[in-house]
Amino acid sequence: MAKIIVVTSGKGGVGKTTSAAAIATGLALRGKKTVVIDFDVGLRNLDLIMGCERRVVYDLVNVIQGEAGLNQALIRDKRVDNLHILPASQTRDKDALTLEGVEKVLDTLNKDFDFIICDSPAGIERGAQLAMYFADAAIVVTNPEVSSVRDSDRILGLLASKTRRAERGEDPIQEHLLITRYNPSRVDLGDMLNLEDIREILAIDLLGLIPESEAVLRASNQGVPVTHDDDSDAGQAYADTVARLLGEEVPLRFHEYQKKSLLSRMFGGVRR
Amino acid sequence: MKLLEFLKRERKKSASVAKERLQIIVAHQRTQRGQPDYMPLLEKELLEVIRRYVQIDDDAVNITLDSEDNCSVLELNVTLPKS
């Protein structure tokens, strides 16, 4: 039995795909059989972040429409065993995904994997609702910024009502907060919402906190999920997040502003 | 130094303003959670109907939908101005 986790946010550009790629990679590095599915039909990008864009032959829509088998569409990750990617289609047909089709794909994957990570599109339309419908847990990616927090709250409303667990009256979806692009120095200046405020407003448990980091852009440039950059703050923060997802207690890091001394400012060089 | 502290205190504000604004809007959003999609329109049209007879403010109408065992109760609360 696989655990189905949707990575969602409502707002676009907050780091859903980066997080889905990083968390899926982290789970696979921890030995879990993991598949990460791109639900953003028409705007596929997970393949780029995972660095497998040139190996895409078939996609999720092909599988659902019976044009390809699931095994033909699944891409095996080059770097980590146990990790597979199921890309989205570039079709402009918004109705290409069906609830029954998605259910069938997830049921098949269920037998072979420990974790199924669903990378949701932005918005609250059909694609986003399909990505969350069958989930057991949700990772709500939120930036410390008003529109992102508000949209996250909207998504929490949908998770509580428009999912299979909600409709069947089963145990509710586990909701986890993942704060990304956190800048402790701006928080210290009072210019950015702090993590306690965000947690208090959204009232869900904090799974992880990813600092704003140069490593994230570097990772996406190279098509190597940032979890592989284990010297970087963001890479370590995602590894911590994955550990918590696996039930380990890991203290929070990278959330406090470290004032730099004059010397380290002068000779600190480039932070990796 | 005083000046620096002063500037810093001024800047403290933006994050706390954000927090206050969010608390209000999120609380409002949550009251609408789980409601049928037609509720905002129903509320608007009810307001229009009432306004044909009495002039009332936008926030003078408060409607809630409560679900009980096998029926739902639509509660309409209208505050009329003193005449």
Side-chain angles (χ1 to χ4, degrees):
Chain A
M1 272 293 275
K3 182 167 186 178
I4 304 176
I5 302 176
V6 60
V7 179
T8 186
S9 71
K11 190 175 182 300
V14 298
K16 278 184 299 299
T17 301
T18 300
S19 297
I23 289 169
T25 300
L27 286 166
L29 285 169
R30 298 285 304 264
K32 305 291 176 190
K33 284 206 74 178
T34 306
V35 56
V36 55
I37 308 177
D38 191 348
F39 274 81
D40 203 345
V41 171
L43 291 170
R44 120 172 129 215
N45 275 321
L46 179 68
D47 53 338
L48 267 181
I49 303 299
M50 296 293 298
C52 63
E53 69 277 8
R54 296 181 61 173
R55 293 194 291 145
V56 175
V57 182
Y58 295 110
D59 56 58
L60 179 60
V61 171
N62 292 138
V63 176
I64 285 176
Q65 295 183 342
E67 295 155 2
L70 191 51
N71 284 327
Q72 290 174 286
L74 281 177
I75 302 172
R76 181 186 290 270
D77 189 77
K78 279 181 295 194
R79 296 177 190 85
V80 204
D81 290 340
N82 298 326
L83 182 57
H84 287 78
I85 300 113
L86 185 53
S89 153
Q90 286 291 51
T91 174
R92 283 193 285 171
D93 177 13
K94 275 188 180 174
D95 298 324
L97 291 186
T98 60
L99 195 64
E100 298 72 29
V102 171
E103 182 174 26
K104 213 171 143 192
V105 168
L106 293 177
D107 277 349
T108 313
L109 293 170
N110 206 357
K111 299 178 191 98
D112 300 327
F113 288 92
D114 300 316
F115 286 94
I116 302 174
I117 309 295
C118 303
D119 180 22
S120 171
I124 53 172
E125 302 297 317
R126 186 180 163 75
Q129 295 200 13
L130 277 174
M132 70 169 65
Y133 189 78
F134 298 100
D136 301 307
I139 295 175
V140 180
V141 183
T142 306
N143 288 170
E145 181 268 324
V146 285
S147 52
S148 174
V149 176
R150 180 202 212 171
D151 291 358
S152 292
D153 183 71
R154 288 276 284 147
I155 284 292
L156 290 172
L158 292 183
L159 288 167
S161 61
K162 301 268 164 97
T163 53
R164 182 166 71 175
R165 282 177 172 272
E167 285 176 2
R168 288 185 176 174
E170 296 170 354
D171 290 342
I173 288 188
Q174 299 166 19
E175 300 161 336
H176 303 291
L177 175 63
L178 179 65
I179 300 175
T180 56
R181 307 195 72 166
Y182 196 74
N183 186 331
S185 89
R186 300 205 70 185
V187 171
D188 190 63
L189 285 170
D191 268 351
M192 182 177 272
L193 285 163
N194 72 42
L195 68 103
E196 290 303 332
D197 291 344
I198 301 170
R199 182 156 55 177
E200 185 188 325
I201 291 163
L202 294 176
I204 57 174
D205 92 282
L206 182 69
L207 179 71
L209 177 129
I210 315 299
E212 172 112 79
S213 168
E214 291 166 11
V216 172
L217 181 60
R218 211 158 43 220
S220 79
N221 285 342
Q222 294 169 320
V224 181
V226 71
T227 325
H228 286 293
D229 187 358
D230 43 21
D231 291 331
S232 71
D233 47 1
Q236 292 173 14
Y238 274 115
D240 288 356
T241 304
V242 167
R244 290 188 203 104
L245 203 55
L246 295 173
E248 294 165 27
E249 288 216 4
V250 183
L252 214 55
R253 292 194 274 176
F254 313 113
H255 59 296
E256 274 163 350
Y257 176 52
Q258 315 280 330
K259 282 203 174 68
K260 280 189 181 169
S261 69
L262 187 63
L263 276 178
S264 77
R265 260 187 234 181
M266 288 168 71
F267 301 111
V270 187
R271 217 171 110 201
R272 264 196 52 85
Chain B
M1 213 51 203
K2 274 257 165 67
L3 182 69
L4 202 70
E5 274 170 32
F6 173 74
L7 285 173
K8 212 174 163 186
R9 200 175 311 129
E10 275 298 288
R11 301 197 62 172
K12 279 263 185 236
K13 280 179 187 162
S14 87
S16 44
V17 171
K19 185 185 180 187
E20 283 165 27
R21 291 173 62 213
L22 274 168
Q23 280 172 325
I24 293 166
I25 194 71
V26 164
H28 179 70
Q29 262 176 201
R30 286 190 185 160
T31 60
Q32 296 182 335
R33 244 186 220 180
Q35 284 185 351
D37 297 337
Y38 59 75
M39 285 290 273
L41 189 61
L42 177 65
E43 190 168 345
K44 185 170 162 275
E45 291 188 6
L46 280 170
L47 194 68
E48 282 166 12
V49 171
I50 295 168
R51 278 201 182 136
R52 283 185 212 154
Y53 305 92
V54 198
Q55 265 312 308
I56 52 170
D57 289 337
D58 280 355
D59 53 3
V61 174
N62 183 16
I63 63 173
T64 50
L65 191 65
D66 283 321
S67 292
E68 281 162 26
D69 296 335
N70 50 9
C71 66
S72 299
V73 177
L74 182 74
E75 196 178 294
L76 178 65
N77 215 323
V78 187
T79 315
L80 295 180
K82 266 189 179 165
S83 54

